[in-house]
Amino acid sequence: MLDDRDRKILSLLQADADMPVTEIAASVALSASACSRRITRLKEEGYIARTLVELDRRKVGLPTTVFVIVRTGSHAADWLEKFHAAVNAVPEIVEVHRLTGNFDYIIKIVLPDVEHYDVVYKQLVSRIELFDMSAYISMETVKQAKGVPTNYA
């Protein structure tokens, strides 16, 4: 069970995983060693799944985001396995979500430019048969959270 200090520690780490333990400790009114033990416990208990580095997409040449809505003609186990393999084989595909409703999947793709979408499209359709694909170019990121709310834990 998490307490308010644990939740605050998780929020601070989500905002900046490189924040020194001494700063985190000061923010939650703990000693550095007590705070360090809490962070270790949060990792051991699985609240902290992993630590990542967020790259500046413009500096690494991937400023463009395209979302693709997919409808499939099949939901058989072998097709699903093949679909999972296909999307995992394309590094520009950074997220895939299975949906309820009229569409089956939404795919988030990061690209150097819009024209490169055709390269990714051809890679994907050469690996898996899809009923329908519609691409939507992101014009602006209005909100991109640096983590998830911690008040539900």
Side-chain angles (χ1 to χ4, degrees), residues 44-58:
E44 288 171 353
E45 292 177 0
Y47 289 100
I48 300 172
R50 61 184 174 157
T51 304
L52 300 173
V53 172
E54 182 180 348
L55 302 180
D56 182 314
R57 288 188 27 213
R58 290 195 182 285

Side-chain angles (χ1 to χ4, degrees), residues 59-120:
K59 287 191 178 190
V60 296
L62 295 166
T64 305
T65 303
V66 173
F67 292 94
V68 177
I69 302 290
V70 173
R71 287 179 33 201
T72 176
S74 175
H75 295 280
D78 63 326
W79 184 92
L80 292 171
E81 190 175 307
K82 198 172 176 184
F83 177 74
H84 288 198
V87 295
N88 281 306
V90 181
E92 293 88 348
I93 296 175
V94 295
E95 287 185 43
V96 179
H97 299 267
R98 190 164 52 92
L99 306 174
T100 62
N102 296 330
F103 304 104
D104 296 306
Y105 295 93
I106 186 167
I107 299 172
K108 181 179 179 182
I109 304 171
V110 295
L111 302 165
D113 51 47
V114 172
E115 292 79 12
H116 194 80
Y117 171 67
D118 191 48
V119 173
V120 173

Side-chain angles (χ1 to χ4, degrees), residues 120-131:
V120 173
Y121 171 85
K122 288 175 181 174
Q123 288 178 35
L124 194 55
V125 297
S126 72
R127 291 178 167 92
I128 188 79
E129 184 178 334
L130 301 169
F131 178 73

